[in-house]
Amino acid sequence: MEAKRIPQRTSISGTRNRLTVKNQDPAYFYRVVNDVDDRVEIFRELGYEVVMKDIKVGDKNAVDGTKLGTPVSVPVGGGMKAIVMRCPREIYDARQKDKADVIQTQEDALKTPNLNNADYGKVEIRR
C-alpha cells in the first residue's frame, strides 16, 4: 500500500515566514536585501552576490514568479521588492568574528579599573 503524501500547508491564522530561503548551499550565507537606495550595491562591495538560480523563498504564495537566470526577488510590502543575496561562508564568518572582537574590546574597556581613582562606580557584564 502506498503512503499518502500530506501537502505542506501555510497557516492562515498565524504568521508565515515569507523571507525564509530554502535550498541553500551550505557554503554560503544568505540574506534578503531590500532593493532601495544603494543597499544591493553596498552588499556587493561587502562580498555578497545576487542569487541568480532556481531557489525558493518563503512559501508558494510569497514568491513572485522569479524565473531561472534572473535575480531572485520577493515582494516585501509597500510596492518594494527584496533581492536574495549570498556571501561565501568564510567571508561572512570572518566578518562576524571581526565584529565580535570589536564588541569584546569595548566590553573589556568598560571592565578595566579606573586608573586615576577619580572615577567611582562599577560595571559588571554577564553572559
Side-chain angles (χ1 to χ4, degrees):
M1 186 167 158
E2 190 175 319
K4 281 187 171 181
R5 290 184 63 187
I6 300 174
Q8 185 175 4
R9 299 178 186 211
T10 302
S11 171
I12 59 171
S13 61
T15 59
R16 60 183 182 173
N17 193 350
R18 295 174 33 170
L19 302 180
T20 300
V21 179
K22 298 179 182 176
N23 304 330
Q24 296 183 21
D25 181 346
Y28 289 91
F29 175 79
Y30 290 79
R31 88 182 281 152
V32 180
V33 179
N34 287 346
D35 191 12
V36 294
D37 300 328
D38 293 331
R39 286 188 53 83
V40 172
E41 191 58 37
I42 290 168
F43 277 91
R44 278 191 177 134
E45 291 172 3
L46 292 172
Y48 283 80
E49 63 185 26
V50 175
V51 175
M52 300 290 279
K53 60 186 201 178
D54 189 25
I55 192 165
K56 184 174 178 177
V57 180
D59 60 28
K60 63 185 176 186
N61 297 325
V63 179
D64 64 342
T66 301
K67 304 217 179 351
L68 186 63
T70 59
V72 178
S73 64
V74 61
V76 291
M80 186 176 13
K81 288 192 177 192
I83 305 295
V84 178
M85 300 186 80
R86 69 183 186 176
C87 177
R89 182 67 65 178
E90 308 86 49
I91 293 174
Y92 174 78
D93 289 342
R95 190 171 297 117
Q96 292 303 104
K97 183 185 178 313
D98 291 344
K99 289 196 279 188
D101 290 345
V102 168
I103 291 170
Q104 188 62 50
T105 302
Q106 292 171 342
E107 288 180 356
D108 290 344
L110 289 172
K111 292 187 230 178
T112 57
N114 55 24
L115 300 176
N116 58 6
N117 292 326
D119 298 330
Y120 58 92
K122 176 177 148 183
V123 174
E124 189 174 320
I125 300 173
R126 294 185 188 176
R127 290 185 193 232

